[in-house]
Every structure is written in structure tokens, then in C-alpha cells.
Amino acid sequence: MGKMPKLLVASFISLFVIGPLAWTNGPSKGTLVLEGGAAMPVPEVAQRFAALAGGTHAHIVLIPTAAGEEQITSEAFKRLVEQLKPVFGVQDLVVVHTRDRKIADSEEFVAPLRRATGIWFSGGKAGQLVEPYLGTRAQREFEALLQRGGVIGGDSAGAAVMGTLMLHGATTDGDRHLVVPGHDRGFGFLKDVAVNAHVVQRSAEEQLTAVVADHPGLLGIGLDASAGIVVTGDEFEVTGRSVVLVTDGKTHDGVSYLELIPGDRYNMKTRVATLLPPEKRREVKARPEMSHRGPAVSKQLEGDWQATVEAPNGATLQYVLHLKNLPDHTVLAKMEIIEPKSGQKGATITYSSIKQDGQQIEFAAWGAEMTQPLFKGTLNQDGTEISGTLVARTSIPVTLKKMTKASTRAQ
């Protein structure tokens, strides 16, 4: 066999040395915009998405298929379009939806996708997006949009579906798992990546850590409510009004995840973050629109509190509120819901924007506006009870009693 020309030898080496290094975790073309799941996309995320789609000339397709049945009506679609047009700053916004795979495979269904410059998947249940679209002509048109330089965005479930491994929700229910075998395949726009949403809001940081530990090589991206990322190639930039947690199997300052704020960047291939300078980080964190832990509470309020509550459906639940002042003069506040008979833990809510005015107390959920507190109460004079109202879908009267060390051990 004769000698290979030097140029061919160089090309041969490049194929095996440079080629693998060119593999990407993100899309080779186009852009992804993911948000953790605010009630409406926050301006920083919405404006980036719309600009990438073409600004006022954008042709945006909204896919609300993840929503519940009560939201899958023509009237609900009409309201959603009218709400989102000013959010995105566009006029050309149409809804495309089906739960039928045969329809998703039809030429008529995909026609609007072919002229789209941007697609937005709204929240709900991620599995309801995968079931009708994965492996159909519709999915091929999603990918074709990226290949022609378009943008695909989504919030909550619409963000979770973009990974290779699809996660289901971000609750701490004892019987609910983020990974459901047989229902764990996402669209794969982000390779070897799992995306979770509402992570701080729902105190689900460790769940993503556990998923990554069970899947070596997987990268976990936890988007909090009101936080977003803009993905180009291997790298993403954080935007929005809260934090993004990256779980890569390493320890970062004693915890299992790296906390990123708007303006930080992360390379999914090298797994290296480019952080804002310290002074700039302090400036970003101090912005009034950012989600903040409330200021430290009084010593009288700090500690663990418990209430037994009759839920509207007749069930008896225990609410356990944990308040702990931190060294940075903020407070960590979490409410756990426990089923007393079984001891099974339900959802855990992280509170922020805590206001304490003398004996009066108000908490808002992490990432929510303080104008709509989730809990309002009054601390009694001896500091042993908080009488208040838990504001959820219905207002529930609650009397929280201070737990002693003995009662804490009994838990």
C-alpha cells in the first residue's frame, strides 16, 4: 500500500481528533429559549424569544398541548393568544394543537409550522406534548425550524420536553418520580440533558441531583420560575428574574449544584461556567424584580411551626413551616405538607418576599409577586402561635403552633 498524501493524512487525523470535539449538546443551528414557568413569560425571556423569531415580523406558532382539558377549548385558545401577543410584541401568533398522532402527521397540520419563525410550547404536563408529536411529521418540522435558523421556546413542561431525558414535574410527592420509565424520552433538542422547572419554588433541588446520579454523564438544568436560558450551540446564557441550577455530578461550594444568575453563561460540552464579576453579580441579585429570600425574621418567629388542617376535600393534612435565618441576613422559609396517617410528604413550597411588620406576617411563594401573598398571619404576644390564612385556590384558616424540640423529635 502506497504512502497517503500529507493532506489526506491531516484530514484523516482531523476526522478522529477534531470531529468528536465538534459534537454538541445544543442545536447545531437555531436557538432554544427555555423558561421555568412563570404565569406569563417574563419580559426578559419573551423579548429575547420574539427578537430571535424576527421581532414585529415574527410568525409564531403557539402549541398549548401540555395544558389540561379545561384549557383546550377554542375560547381558551383565543384568550391565550390575546394575552401573549403583547407579551411577545407580535401580531402573527397562531395556535396549533392536536392530541391525535395521525393528525400530527398530516400535511394540513404541519403547514403553519413550515412558515413559522418561532414555536412556543406552553406549560402543563410534558407527557402530553410527547405523546402526539414525538416521531411524527410535526416533530420533523420542529427540527426543520431550527435548521433554518429559527427559535423554539417553552415554559415549564414546554421546557422539560426539550431534553433527551424528559422529567415529569418538580414536586416532592413520595410516590411521584421525575423519571417515568417508558415515558422518559423528550424531543432531544438538548442532547444528554434533563430539564426540570420550578426547582427553587418547589424545593426540588435534590431531585435533579438524584436523577443525574442515576444517569452518569447526564447534565441537569433546573430552571426556577421566572428564570430562563437562551441556548446557542453548546452554550447557554441565563436570563429572567431568578436562578438556574446546573447539576453536573460535581460539588459546588458544598452543594450538589451550581447556581447561575441572569448574565452568567454555561458551556454544556466543557461544563465550565463563565460567571459575572462579583460586583456585577451583587448588582443583578439586588434588582427589585429578582426573586429574593426575605430579610431575616425575628428570633421569636424563627424555628419550626405546625398546623393540622382540614382540606376542602375532607382530608386531614399537617402543614409544617420551617424558618431559618441564614448568615447573609436572609431567611430560608419552607412549608411542607404531610399526610398524618401515613407520614407521607406532599409538596414543599419555598417562600420568599417575607414581610414581618411587628406581629403581622405575609409570605409569597418564591418567584411570585408580593401583592399576592400565599400566607397572611398574626403572631401572638407570647410567640407560640401564628393565626392566619393559607391562600391557595381557596382561603384556608390555619393556626400554626411553635414546635418544641420534643415535638420536633416526635416527627
Side-chain angles (χ1 to χ4, degrees):
M1 188 175 188
K3 291 184 178 180
M4 294 176 67
K6 290 183 179 179
L7 182 60
L8 289 179
V9 172
S11 300
F12 184 78
I13 293 173
S14 296
L15 178 64
F16 288 92
V17 176
I18 298 175
L21 295 178
W23 292 348
T24 64
N25 286 98
S28 59
K29 295 181 181 178
T31 310
L32 301 174
V33 178
L34 285 65
E35 190 192 62
M40 282 286 160
V42 294
E44 296 84 352
V45 175
Q47 290 165 12
R48 288 289 292 274
F49 170 78
L52 289 162
T56 56
H57 301 291
H59 305 295
I60 294 178
V61 169
L62 173 65
I63 300 181
T65 308
E69 289 301 323
E70 70 281 2
Q71 297 168 296
I72 303 297
T73 67
S74 58
E75 283 301 311
F77 292 161
K78 184 179 178 180
R79 288 194 300 270
L80 188 58
V81 167
E82 292 308 309
Q83 289 172 338
L84 284 175
K85 278 183 177 180
V87 171
F88 290 129
V90 301
Q91 288 301 313
D92 187 356
L93 193 157
V94 299
V95 171
V96 169
H97 161 74
T98 186
R99 296 205 194 282
D100 188 324
R101 291 181 59 83
K102 290 183 179 179
I103 294 175
D105 242 340
S106 70
E107 178 61 31
E108 182 181 2
F109 184 82
V110 302
L113 302 176
R114 290 196 173 137
R115 69 182 294 270
T117 56
I119 294 173
W120 186 268
F121 295 98
S122 54
K125 295 182 179 180
Q128 292 181 166
L129 284 168
V130 168
E131 288 167 10
Y133 300 131
L134 185 66
T136 67
R137 190 179 299 189
Q139 186 192 353
R140 293 195 290 275
E141 290 301 330
F142 303 157
E143 294 167 351
L145 171 62
L146 291 174
Q147 288 301 306
R148 61 178 181 265
V151 54
I152 294 179
D155 63 275
S156 192
V161 78
M162 296 196 195
T164 304
L165 182 68
M166 186 179 68
L167 304 183
H168 295 259
T171 69
T172 52
D173 294 359
D175 292 333
R176 186 170 179 182
H177 302 281
L178 290 180
V179 180
V180 179
H183 300 276
D184 56 2
R185 184 182 169 194
F187 289 143
F189 302 142
L190 292 168
K191 303 296 189 295
D192 299 320
V193 171
V195 179
N196 204 0
H198 307 281
V199 285
V200 179
Q201 187 182 29
R202 297 179 181 173
S203 299
E205 298 94 330
E206 297 306 321
Q207 286 183 303
L208 193 55
T209 299
V211 170
V212 170
D214 289 341
H215 299 80
L218 186 74
L219 181 71
I221 300 176
L223 304 168
D224 194 40
S226 302
I229 60 173
V230 180
V231 185
T232 306
D234 290 325
E235 189 173 78
F236 67 77
E237 177 190 355
V238 179
T239 186
R241 300 180 174 185
S242 191
V243 298
V244 171
L245 309 182
V246 174
T247 305
D248 53 11
K250 304 174 187 176
T251 300
H252 301 273
D253 294 329
V255 294
S256 59
Y257 50 83
L258 175 65
E259 183 177 291
L260 303 177
I261 64 172
D264 288 339
R265 292 179 174 273
Y266 188 85
N267 188 299
M268 296 177 289
K269 179 180 173 184
T270 63
R271 301 201 171 186
V272 173
T274 303
L275 305 180
L276 293 173
E279 184 175 341
K280 185 65 175 177
R281 292 182 73 79
R282 287 191 292 271
E283 178 188 322
V284 171
K285 287 183 175 182
R287 291 174 183 168
E289 68 271 15
M290 284 286 289
S291 293
H292 295 94
R293 289 191 176 93
V297 295
S298 65
K299 286 289 183 183
Q300 201 177 31
L301 193 58
E302 189 177 18
D304 296 332
W305 302 78
Q306 180 179 285
T308 300
V309 177
E310 295 294 330
N313 62 3
T316 300
L317 300 173
Q318 280 185 350
Y319 285 72
V320 181
L321 173 65
H322 305 279
L323 296 170
K324 180 181 180 183
N325 287 330
L326 301 176
D328 62 356
H329 306 293
T330 64
V331 62
L332 182 63
K334 296 186 178 184
M335 180 81 85
E336 289 182 323
I337 302 174
I338 300 170
E339 206 286 317
K341 291 183 179 179
S342 65
Q344 181 178 336
K345 292 184 179 180
T348 300
I349 300 170
T350 297
Y351 287 112
S352 67
S353 304
I354 297 172
K355 289 183 180 179
Q356 182 181 8
D357 183 6
Q359 306 299 109
Q360 303 302 310
I361 304 152
E362 290 187 3
F363 297 155
W366 183 273
E369 295 290 339
M370 193 63 219
T371 53
Q372 297 176 325
L374 276 186
F375 178 80
K376 299 173 70 172
T378 303
L379 181 67
N380 68 357
Q381 290 296 326
D382 61 8
T384 59
E385 288 187 1
I386 302 172
S387 299
T389 303
L390 185 68
V391 183
R393 292 184 178 178
T394 57
S395 296
I396 303 173
V398 173
T399 300
L400 290 156
K401 296 182 181 294
K402 190 74 174 280
M403 296 172 67
T404 63
K405 290 184 178 179
S407 63
T408 303
R409 284 196 297 271
Q411 293 294 309

